[in-house]
Amino acid sequence: MKSWPPWDTPFFEDHHRAFAQTLLALDLPEVDEESGDLAGISRTLARAMGEQGLLDIVVPPGAEDGKAAIDLRAICLAREVLAYRFGDLADSVFVMQGIGTAALWQSGSTHLCRRYLPATRRGEAIAALALTEPETGSDVANITTRADRDDDGWRITGEKTFISNAGFADHYVVIARTGEAPGARGLTAFLVDANAPGLTMGDPIHFMAAHPAAPVHFDAVPVSADHVIGLPGQGFKVAMATFDVFRASVGAAGIGAGRRALDESLARVTSRRLFGRTMAEMDGVQTKLADMATTLEQAALCVYRAAWAKDTTGGRCTRDVSMAKLAGSEAAHMVVDAAVQLFGGLGVTRGSVVEKLYREVRPMRIYEGASEVQKLVIARDLIKACQ
């Protein structure tokens, strides 16, 4: 099995190519995902990433002084390599440190940034974003969790679900309805400590792949006025700005998983013999390999072009990142499914590499906006540009 190769592209600069080499030398502890201790494993991985400086990519130094600079191409490279070398859980630990803090380093006060970001960057504190609700899903504008004013600030009441890191995160960025206007214009972002009174967790949610998540319940949880992130009524923009950074990187993780599936498939078909010859000598297998490789390269170009656009323009690039998320996650689905087919019975045997990849890539087409939602975002942006 060959090591993951640094992938060159005209969208990279020299420092990205150098960063890719450091990723190949990244040393993370071996973990047993089947042990059930996803909280302990996640903390172990986060601490190792922090010690090696990897979390600087998603919790940018300088944010405490209002000088946050994000490099989306570096984030995408990291997620591609993590998904290839270490799998979905390590990738999730990495990216959630960014998703759970992006609201702070994009819109938060200097006070909040200085208090919460350093420990998260070191991997000593775990971050989370509490956005999804049982009845809303991708319909963020219709969030029902509410925050009511009181004498000392706010009190949050409601329920979130499918919250990554819930139960062991040290703090949560929470989007709640404050009612300044209808729909998306009446939401606000808050920073809530895990030990806040009235904040409780439901039972862990067991996904098809190892991923820590649980429901989060808010029973008049007190939040001080200085823990509002940005301005009241701007919570939807805060959440979407987070996704504009990290949505494209989902596609990169898909590329990494797809590349691993392709390499595993190549090793399999060149060694396994059927009907007196290797599988690699069969025309049908060769065409499938060609489709897998071409699909991955097309998606990778889409992902890194979107990351390049975000880095070089500094704008939201909503259409570009939605295309990247859609292309990368759908490519991963196609390529990993093809790998399972090439592996035959072993491909659906619990514990094989491609079986694990199959379980890991399937959720990519759902979280951070399902593929159908990405298509709507892309189409509406195209139409808007013509008006």
Side-chain angles (χ1 to χ4, degrees):
M1 185 64 194
K2 66 180 181 180
S3 63
W4 181 86
W7 183 64
D8 205 0
T9 167
F11 300 117
F12 285 170
E13 298 174 24
D14 287 344
H15 69 273
H16 295 114
R17 299 182 182 95
F19 178 59
Q21 294 294 334
T22 69
L23 290 170
L24 298 181
L26 187 67
D27 183 23
L28 296 182
E30 293 186 9
V31 296
D32 179 10
E33 296 181 2
E34 301 301 321
S35 69
D37 183 20
L38 296 183
I41 291 171
S42 297
R43 285 195 175 276
T44 297
L45 290 172
R47 181 67 68 101
M49 292 177 187
E51 290 173 350
Q52 295 176 70
L54 184 62
L55 296 179
D56 289 11
I57 302 299
V58 288
V59 190
E64 293 91 322
D65 299 316
K67 301 176 182 178
I70 204 72
D71 187 335
L72 183 52
R73 283 169 288 181
I75 293 174
C76 288
L77 266 173
R79 293 197 69 180
E80 182 175 343
V81 177
L82 285 169
Y84 184 102
R85 292 188 58 202
F86 302 104
D88 177 71
L89 184 56
D91 171 59
S92 174
V93 169
F94 168 75
V95 75
M96 283 309 304
Q97 293 295 85
I99 290 176
T101 58
L104 290 177
W105 47 259
Q106 288 181 320
S107 305
S109 66
T110 300
H111 162 71
L112 289 178
C113 287
R114 290 178 177 175
R115 178 176 173 183
Y116 289 95
L117 294 185
T120 310
R121 186 182 299 117
R122 294 191 299 267
E124 297 168 0
I126 300 296
L129 171 65
L131 179 67
T132 302
E133 297 185 355
E135 300 300 324
T136 59
S138 296
D139 189 8
V140 176
N142 284 315
I143 278 175
T144 59
T145 295
R146 72 178 190 275
D148 301 310
R149 290 186 184 271
D150 70 5
D151 293 338
D152 300 317
W154 303 79
R155 288 189 176 270
I156 300 177
T157 301
E159 181 177 359
K160 303 289 186 178
T161 192
F162 300 124
I163 305 306
S164 297
N165 296 346
F168 64 93
D170 295 283
H171 61 79
Y172 299 81
V173 172
V174 181
I175 308 298
R177 182 161 301 285
T178 46
E180 288 77 12
R185 294 176 295 167
L187 302 175
T188 299
F190 299 88
L191 196 288
V192 180
D193 289 315
N195 60 359
L199 180 64
T200 57
M201 309 298 151
D203 294 333
I205 298 170
H206 299 289
F207 294 104
M208 59 196 300
H211 182 89
V216 183
H217 307 284
F218 300 85
D219 184 7
V221 175
V223 183
S224 61
D226 64 354
H227 275 50
V228 172
I229 301 173
L231 298 173
Q234 299 297 306
F236 183 84
K237 290 183 179 180
V238 169
M240 292 305 105
T242 295
F243 290 141
D244 272 355
V245 172
F246 290 100
R247 189 167 272 165
S249 73
V250 178
I255 299 303
R259 291 192 193 281
R260 179 62 182 269
L262 177 56
D263 281 354
E264 294 286 342
S265 298
L266 286 166
R268 173 74 168 171
V269 302
T270 54
S271 62
R272 188 185 184 198
R273 297 184 66 83
L274 291 174
F275 309 110
R277 55 179 177 165
T278 64
M279 288 180 66
E281 296 177 89
M282 300 175 179
D283 291 349
V285 170
Q286 292 177 6
T287 58
K288 189 175 289 291
L289 292 171
D291 287 341
M292 294 164 72
T294 302
T295 297
L296 283 173
E297 294 307 316
Q298 291 170 335
L301 286 171
C302 186
V303 167
Y304 286 106
R305 192 203 67 81
W308 167 83
K310 181 73 174 173
D311 286 342
T312 55
T313 68
R316 291 194 60 180
C317 300
T318 301
R319 185 200 310 174
D320 306 86
V321 298
S322 287
M323 286 180 174
K325 200 270 184 182
L326 177 67
S329 60
E330 292 291 339
H333 169 72
M334 176 269 174
V335 171
V336 175
D337 185 74
V340 170
Q341 196 72 13
L342 288 171
F343 270 72
L346 185 59
V348 290
T349 301
R350 182 80 176 187
S352 70
V353 173
V354 295
E355 182 271 340
K356 182 174 180 287
L357 287 168
Y358 189 86
R359 288 186 286 111
E360 290 179 344
V361 303
R362 184 58 185 85
M364 291 179 181
R365 298 165 64 207
I366 298 174
Y367 66 72
E368 289 194 42
S371 291
E372 292 78 8
V373 172
Q374 302 311 317
K375 291 178 182 180
L376 293 177
V377 171
I378 294 164
R380 289 170 182 172
D381 194 71
L382 286 167
I383 294 167
K384 181 180 179 180
C386 294
Q387 294 175 340

